[in-house]
Amino acid sequence: MIVALVVACEVGFWVLLGLGLAVRYLLRWRRTSVVLLLCEPVLELVLFVATAIDLKNGAEPSWEHGLAALYIGYTVAFGHYTIRWIDGHAAHRLGGAPPPPKPPRHGLARARHETKLWLRGVLGGAVALALLQCAVWYVGDSGDISSLRAFQWAALRAVGIYGLITLAYWIWPKKAPAGQQESSEPRKERVGR
């Protein structure tokens, strides 16, 4: 049941996002789009409550509960960022706005950008760890919590590997091609060809 709910939340996220942006840019109903986009966190709340109820009703803690915690952590950390990124592209394609700035591709500017994304990953991992620890305490000694502990280690490993990749951007920064100026600012796409 929990896996189906995680899938439903992911599908719901993209449906609400699509509807919110369509209403905002095609119908020009800004308030309605804000309401639709503000419904996004409700999906995670439903998943959280359903997972807690499942554990309360005596379900044995399993990988499904760990997956739900990781999904909620990821959404907390990257949900708003994803919405803002897609909104910038929708504003450009559907609303006539200038193209959104692209992330830097070279040098220390790229390393700083990757570090900001990694810090989002740290936030997501912390949320997942906290939810999993709450589930461990909730289940207590009455159940097998090994799968919850395994997902805690998985979250820590994912954040650690992401951190090593980010560190590589600082140690071995990608050089700009000859003739292209390195900039500390995000690149802006030119309008027109």
Side-chain angles (χ1 to χ4, degrees), residues 1 11 13 24 35 46 58 70 74 91 107 110 171 173 177 181 192:
M1 174 184 110
V11 169
F13 174 85
R24 173 176 289 179
V35 170
V46 167
L70 291 180
Y74 178 84
R110 177 62 185 248
I171 296 172
Q181 178 182 345

Side-chain angles (χ1 to χ4, degrees), residues 15-158:
V15 167
L16 282 174
L17 181 57
L19 285 173
L21 295 176
V23 164
R24 173 176 289 179
Y25 294 111
L26 298 177
L27 299 177
R28 309 269 188 233
W29 296 348
R30 184 153 177 85
R31 287 185 186 174
T32 305
S33 74
V34 169
V35 170
L36 285 169
L37 294 175
L38 287 176
C39 288
E40 301 277 359
V42 173
L43 296 172
E44 281 64 45
L45 184 61
V46 167
L47 179 60
F48 175 74
V49 169
T51 304
I53 289 171
D54 192 43
L55 289 172
K56 181 180 184 294
N57 289 339
E60 197 64 31
S62 68
W63 65 272
E64 298 167 337
H65 301 99
L67 178 66
L70 291 180
Y71 177 79
I72 292 171
Y74 178 84
T75 304
V76 167
F78 288 96
H80 185 262
Y81 177 82
T82 303
I83 291 171
R84 204 174 60 228
W85 181 80
I86 291 176
D87 184 43
H89 286 278
H92 169 61
R93 300 277 182 183
L94 303 173
K102 291 185 176 184
R105 296 180 64 189
H106 308 102
L108 295 180
R110 177 62 185 248
R112 280 190 290 276
H113 173 74
E114 293 297 329
T115 301
K116 289 176 186 175
L117 291 179
W118 175 71
L119 290 173
R120 287 183 179 280
V122 170
L123 171 63
V127 168
L129 286 171
L131 290 174
L132 289 164
Q133 187 59 45
C134 289
V136 166
W137 290 333
Y138 187 69
V139 171
D141 295 333
S142 64
D144 180 20
I145 57 169
S146 61
S147 65
L148 299 176
R149 291 285 186 212
F151 267 88
Q152 285 180 316
W153 284 110
L156 286 171
R157 277 193 309 271

Side-chain angles (χ1 to χ4, degrees), residues 152-169:
Q152 285 180 316
W153 284 110
L156 286 171
R157 277 193 309 271
V159 169
I161 291 168
Y162 197 0
L164 291 174
I165 293 168
T166 301
L167 183 62
Y169 281 99

Side-chain angles (χ1 to χ4, degrees), residues 85 88-93 96-105 180 183 185-193:
W85 181 80
H89 286 278
H92 169 61
R93 300 277 182 183
K102 291 185 176 184
R105 296 180 64 189
Q180 185 179 0
S183 170
E185 297 296 316
R187 293 185 325 128
K188 302 229 190 253
E189 190 173 293
R190 289 185 297 174
V191 178
R193 301 261 182 233

